[in-house]
Amino acid sequence: MAVEVRIPNGPLYIDMDGFRLSRNFTLEMYRSGLKYQPRPDDMFVVTFPKCGTTWTQHIGYLIFHKGVPPPSALDFLKSSPFLEMLGADAIKAMKRPGLIKTHLPYDTMPQHAQAKYLYVCRNPKDACVSFFHHTRAFAGYEFSDGRFEDFFEVFMEGKNEYEDYFEHVLSWYSHRNDPNVLFIHYEDMKNDPKKAVLEIAEFLDKDHHKLLVENEEMLKNVIEHSDIKSMKVAAVENFEKFFANPLEEDNVPAGLRAFHEAAKRQPNAGFIRKGIVGDWKQHFNADMNKRMEEKILAKLSQTDLIDIWKKYGIM
Ligand code: A3P
């Protein structure tokens, strides 16, 4: 069942079978994605929204394509399809090897003991700010004039799309030591991209990791082409062209066609924006910061996440 939910002064969402999503999704594809039966060689990039998914997808693409960036958004999206937006058929038809994108919490994530799950965690202050900009940018939320103070309340109560940030992170954090899970941090990736690329490659595929270790030029290309500066030019251009032009290929999965149709009015709605640690300082007032820190302490004091965020001046 799909039910529209309008938050007072906030965005328009759609609850699909009781889970909060938005007009960017369809019930049919969401259900199909949840029922997907993973293969042993599947590799997923899992995040709470706005925590570095697109960046990590590009890193994965570049690792598997030996440092050569995607020639088009269609090629990228076919190699790195979005599970719950595009449905199971898009995953079955994907170009391999590639990373499957998902924002599902652990409990609803299709599991396979041999499949790999790369979880990227970003601090909730920057995630909240990034989600605010995303929600203003896509017309379907009807929040284009929305105020940050209103979105902050939605986020604090976990009433946003994909629901509560803290529950999401904790659901995956408790599996961080599973042999098929790698739990990494957006802030660490920003701090040392080379280390992050090698760690991701080693987790995903030993052969491609070896290639990068033995080929400095290839490693340099992976890092450079996934840098925010390069992605702001090349990836943005790819997405803009993709949405501006009609889809000509016949073998485009139905979910991808629907996404193309839905998103073409907002071609690059904020997937590649500032890409920094600390943009929250431009948005949070002292009271918001106090309340967010209290929430972080209440929810995450049993984890080592606070130590990591302290290291980067977030707390
Ligand atoms: P900001 O809105 O804070 O700039 P997602 O892909 O999960 O939607 O995440 C989007 C966030 O990742 C945005 O954050 C975006 O700018 C940032 N991002 C995209 N590409 C990046 C890159 N190459 N390096 C760092 N951050 C990047």
Side-chain angles (χ1 to χ4, degrees):
M1 206 169 61
V3 182
E4 278 196 2
V5 179
R6 186 178 291 279
I7 311 271
N9 297 323
L12 175 74
Y13 292 119
I14 313 230
D15 285 355
M16 297 195 180
D17 293 337
F19 187 64
R20 184 143 305 167
L21 290 167
S22 68
R23 277 192 187 156
N24 293 334
F25 299 84
T26 65
L27 183 60
E28 186 194 353
M29 292 302 160
Y30 171 60
R31 284 181 174 166
S32 160
L34 287 187
K35 282 203 213 108
Y36 174 66
Q37 297 286 322
R39 297 171 21 163
D41 61 343
D42 276 346
M43 295 172 272
F44 296 89
V45 54
V46 192
T47 55
F48 185 79
K50 311 320 291 174
C51 292
T53 334
T54 318
W55 180 20
T56 313
Q57 286 174 278
H58 275 80
I59 291 175
Y61 185 99
L62 286 158
I63 290 171
F64 292 127
H65 293 81
K66 302 180 184 172
V68 179
S72 67
L74 185 58
D75 189 76
F76 171 73
L77 293 167
K78 280 183 167 182
S79 304
S80 194
F82 188 177
L83 177 65
E84 61 271 27
M85 179 179 277
L86 304 182
D89 286 346
I91 313 303
K92 287 177 196 150
M94 73 182 277
K95 286 191 182 176
R96 289 170 183 268
L99 278 179
I100 302 163
K101 165 180 170 176
T102 178
H103 296 312
L104 293 175
Y106 188 86
D107 295 344
T108 52
M109 182 71 213
Q111 296 284 344
H112 190 295
Q114 268 100 51
K116 293 179 182 172
Y117 300 85
L118 170 61
Y119 188 88
V120 185
C121 180
R122 187 184 195 186
N123 76 82
K125 295 183 182 179
D126 285 326
C128 174
V129 167
S130 186
F131 218 167
F132 164 69
H133 288 288
H134 169 102
T135 308
R136 275 171 54 115
F138 275 92
Y141 298 102
E142 298 185 3
F143 191 63
S144 53
D145 297 325
R147 299 181 319 162
F148 182 69
E149 43 275 50
D150 293 322
F151 188 81
F152 178 82
E153 299 304 330
V154 175
F155 188 91
M156 290 296 279
E157 289 177 36
K159 289 190 171 160
N160 46 274
E161 185 176 22
Y162 285 97
E163 305 186 353
D164 190 82
Y165 165 93
F166 298 92
E167 299 301 324
H168 194 285
V169 169
L170 280 172
S171 78
W172 281 94
Y173 183 84
S174 56
H175 290 274
R176 71 197 179 287
N177 295 324
D178 290 4
N180 61 343
V181 173
L182 179 68
F183 191 99
I184 59 172
H185 296 273
Y186 179 98
E187 296 79 12
D188 284 337
M189 290 166 67
K190 283 291 294 186
N191 183 48
D192 192 341
K194 180 176 172 181
K195 189 171 169 218
V197 164
L198 287 172
E199 191 181 12
I200 291 170
E202 188 174 22
F203 173 67
L204 295 178
D205 185 285
K206 298 277 180 280
D207 292 339
H208 282 92
H209 176 251
K210 190 162 176 278
L211 277 177
L212 293 183
V213 170
E214 289 171 355
N215 190 330
E216 212 173 299
E217 189 64 21
M218 199 187 287
L219 177 60
K220 198 169 136 271
N221 284 338
V222 173
I223 296 163
E224 276 183 17
H225 290 303
S226 58
D227 184 85
I228 185 80
K229 283 195 219 86
S230 314
M231 283 182 54
K232 266 190 180 165
V233 179
V236 167
E237 193 184 306
N238 276 349
F239 281 121
E240 284 179 353
K241 271 197 211 145
F242 174 70
F243 291 117
N245 295 312
L247 279 175
E248 274 155 16
E249 274 190 51
D250 292 336
N251 63 342
V252 175
L256 194 46
R257 283 200 178 276
F259 174 54
H260 181 270
E261 190 55 34
K264 70 182 172 196
R265 284 177 300 281
Q266 47 270 325
N268 169 41
F271 287 104
I272 302 154
R273 200 181 60 93
K274 282 195 184 173
I276 58 167
V277 176
D279 197 29
W280 61 273
K281 291 176 190 157
Q282 309 301 320
H283 294 73
F284 278 48
N285 62 30
D287 181 58
M288 288 171 178
N289 195 34
K290 183 169 168 281
R291 285 174 56 203
M292 177 63 93
E293 297 208 348
E294 281 167 3
K295 181 126 189 177
I296 292 172
L297 289 171
K299 293 275 192 173
L300 303 177
S301 57
Q302 306 300 317
T303 72
D304 64 1
L305 299 173
I306 295 171
D307 294 336
I308 288 163
W309 298 336
K310 278 187 178 158
K311 185 174 144 197
Y312 293 110
I314 292 150
M315 303 241 341

